[in-house]
Every structure is written in structure tokens, then in C-alpha cells.
């Protein structure tokens, strides 16, 4: 049976190995955490850039749609000039049997 001194030395050796292995594991964990944080930061920046690009795209799309709505509203505003006015002279001439002159 080992003596008390041998047993203490054995425990000291095992404790020393445990400390070394724990230190190595902690350093590995620190490196992994650092890499994880760097990757998360890159992902965050990429996401922010995508969001910025999306917002810019939506802004441009809104401008385009507003312009289309404006053009449509203008077109609807000229419907009388475009459709009714050209047909007015023949209709008046036909139904009222008169000569129609259009003034500005």
C-alpha cells in the first residue's frame, strides 16, 4: 500500500495535470468565443447592409409608384379633353343639326 507521502505526490501530480488541461480548455474556449463574436459582428454588419439596401430599394419603389400614380391622376384629369371634347362636335352637329365651333 502506498504511503501517505506517495499518495499526496500522486494527488499533486493529478491536480497539476487537471490544471494544465483546464487551462488549455479555457484558452480553446476563449478562442472559440472570440471567433464566434467576430462572426456575429460580421453577420450583424452584413444584415445592417442588407436592411439599408432594402430600405433604399423600397424608397425607390415608392418614388416610382408615386410617379405612376401622379401620371395616372394627370391622365384622369385630362379625360374630358381626351375623350369627351373630340366627340362633342360630331354629337352636337348630329343631334342639334348645327355647326359647332370650339373655342379655347
Amino acid at each position: 500500500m502506498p504511503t501517505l507521502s506517495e499518495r499526496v505526490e500522486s494527488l499533486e501530480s493529478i491536480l497539476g495535470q487537471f490544471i494544465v488541461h483546464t487551462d488549455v480548455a479555457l484558452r480553446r474556449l476563449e478562442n472559440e468565443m472570440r471567433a464566434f463574436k467576430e462572426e456575429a459582428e460580421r453577420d450583424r454588419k452584413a444584415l445592417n447592409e442588407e436592411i439599408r439596401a432594402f430600405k433604399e430599394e423600397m424608397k425607390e419603389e415608392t418614388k416610382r409608384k408615386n410617379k405612376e400614380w401622379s401620371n395616372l391622376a394627370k391622365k384622369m384629369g385630362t379625360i374630358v379633353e381626351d375623350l369627351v371634347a373630340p366627340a362633342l362636335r360630331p354629337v352636337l352637329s348630329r343631334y342639334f343639326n348645327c355647326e359647332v365651333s370650339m373655342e379655347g
Side-chain angles (χ1 to χ4, degrees):
M1 178 169 194
T3 66
L4 181 61
S5 176
E6 292 171 339
R7 290 175 72 188
V8 169
E9 285 178 21
S10 176
L11 284 174
E12 286 176 344
S13 174
I14 292 171
L15 180 60
Q17 290 174 5
F18 175 77
I19 290 170
V20 169
H21 289 295
T22 302
D23 187 50
V24 169
L26 284 174
R27 286 187 185 159
R28 187 177 315 130
L29 181 62
E30 286 173 355
N31 290 336
E32 289 174 2
M33 288 298 296
R34 187 177 303 111
F36 177 78
K37 285 180 181 179
E38 289 169 358
E39 182 179 358
E41 181 64 18
R42 283 191 304 272
D43 289 348
R44 185 190 64 75
K45 286 180 180 178
L47 180 60
N48 283 342
E49 183 61 29
E50 287 179 25
I51 290 171
R52 188 201 59 75
F54 178 76
K55 284 181 178 179
E56 191 64 33
E57 189 177 312
M58 294 307 298
K59 185 177 178 182
E60 292 300 318
E61 182 66 15
T62 300
K63 277 184 181 179
R64 186 188 65 77
K65 286 184 179 183
N66 285 343
K67 187 174 182 177
E68 286 182 23
W69 276 110
S70 173
N71 290 339
L72 182 60
K74 287 177 186 175
K75 192 67 175 171
M76 294 302 291
T78 61
I79 197 164
V80 171
E81 293 89 352
D82 295 342
L83 296 175
V84 176
L88 190 60
R89 182 178 293 162
V91 169
L92 290 175
S93 295
R94 182 173 178 191
Y95 288 103
F96 293 104
N97 221 5
C98 63
E99 189 64 30
V100 177
S101 66
M102 301 296 248
E103 295 182 18

